Amino acid sequence: MENSFEDLIATYIENKVGISEHFLSTDLANNLKQNLLTLNQERLLMAAGIGNSEKLSFDGAIRSDSIYWLDKKHNNAFENEFFAKIEAFILYLNQSCYAGITGYEFHYSLYESGDFYLKHLDQFKNNPSRKYSMISYLNSNWQESDGGELLIHQLDNNQKISPTQGKTVFFKSDELVHEVLVTQNTRMSITGWLKSD
């Protein structure tokens, strides 16, 4: 477990974008993916908005994915296993990097063929509590032709990251503009933020 944590931190220090190829185990990724697909079949996902609860809007020309918020109150075994992994990472991050993280929030994200999310920052202008963004992918057998890459914009080194199963990406929420390129296949992830309230 600590190896995947160290992978995220070491690559983040090197390039401002942390990547662990196997942050989620195959079993956990498969179970979370099945849970997401079931929620979608039950029509429990909702259109993703832009902004927070104080200033929320919906614009399909900017963002076209659907989401479902994870919550311990759901008492879902696989979501709770994911939360346990995140809490262990936060403990490791706080102890090794004095990050001061005190909480988190995560949601499933589903992009159907043709969906995208244009350039944006993850931290709200009216609320700076989001400190780090984390995205864990749930897509097995993803091909380059499927598109849907995460494109992170940096001054001298734009980085395109394929959303392959088990991979987790980690970066500062107020620092890097990023986008999700148009996907040609169903693209699934758990997306969220480590927070300091």
Side-chain angles (χ1 to χ4, degrees):
M1 187 181 291
E2 285 192 1
N3 284 344
S4 64
F5 296 171
E6 197 53 47
D7 285 345
L8 281 180
I9 293 170
T11 50
Y12 167 78
I13 290 170
E14 181 181 340
N15 193 37
K16 296 187 177 181
V17 181
I19 298 177
S20 171
E21 295 289 342
H22 305 290
F23 186 84
L24 298 183
S25 69
T26 300
D27 284 347
L28 180 55
N30 283 333
N31 287 326
L32 290 166
K33 174 170 56 181
Q34 187 55 55
N35 196 40
L36 172 52
L37 290 171
T38 299
L39 291 165
N40 190 45
Q41 288 172 354
E42 295 173 353
R43 301 184 183 277
L44 293 174
L45 275 70
M46 57 186 179
I50 302 158
N52 59 6
S53 57
E54 297 171 27
K55 196 176 180 181
L56 184 64
S57 64
F58 297 88
D59 188 341
I62 295 175
R63 178 180 191 180
S64 54
D65 60 316
S66 300
I67 65 169
Y68 179 91
W69 288 96
L70 278 66
D71 194 317
K72 285 188 175 180
K73 293 176 184 174
H74 299 158
N75 201 27
N76 178 280
F78 307 122
E79 291 180 20
N80 287 343
E81 185 179 347
F82 175 79
F83 287 143
K85 179 96 175 183
I86 292 298
E87 288 165 4
F89 176 64
I90 288 171
L91 182 63
Y92 189 87
L93 182 67
N94 283 343
Q95 289 178 342
S96 59
C97 301
Y98 308 102
I101 301 303
T102 57
Y104 57 83
E105 59 183 4
F106 283 89
H107 62 67
Y108 288 116
S109 185
L110 177 69
Y111 289 75
E112 302 284 11
S113 181
D115 285 346
F116 58 89
Y117 191 172
L118 299 184
K119 287 183 186 179
H120 63 282
L121 276 175
D122 279 351
Q123 193 179 83
F124 301 124
K125 291 179 180 177
N126 62 347
N127 185 340
S129 64
R130 289 179 174 179
K131 300 304 179 186
Y132 294 95
S133 301
M134 289 188 74
I135 308 149
S136 295
Y137 295 112
L138 308 175
N139 309 294
S140 54
N141 304 313
W142 196 260
Q143 306 296 318
E144 187 174 349
S145 59
D146 293 330
E149 296 94 347
L150 175 69
L151 179 59
I152 297 180
H153 295 267
Q154 298 195 60
L155 287 176
D156 55 355
N157 182 29
N158 288 351
Q159 193 168 355
K160 192 184 286 188
I161 300 168
S162 61
T164 52
Q165 180 167 290
K167 181 187 295 179
T168 290
V169 182
F170 169 77
F171 54 91
K172 283 194 78 174
S173 299
D174 67 346
E175 190 169 73
L176 296 180
V177 172
H178 55 286
E179 62 184 301
V180 176
L181 301 180
V182 175
T183 184
Q184 306 300 330
N185 205 340
T186 301
R187 177 192 190 273
M188 295 167 282
S189 67
I190 294 180
T191 298
W193 300 273
L194 307 187
K195 302 176 73 176
S196 181
D197 295 315

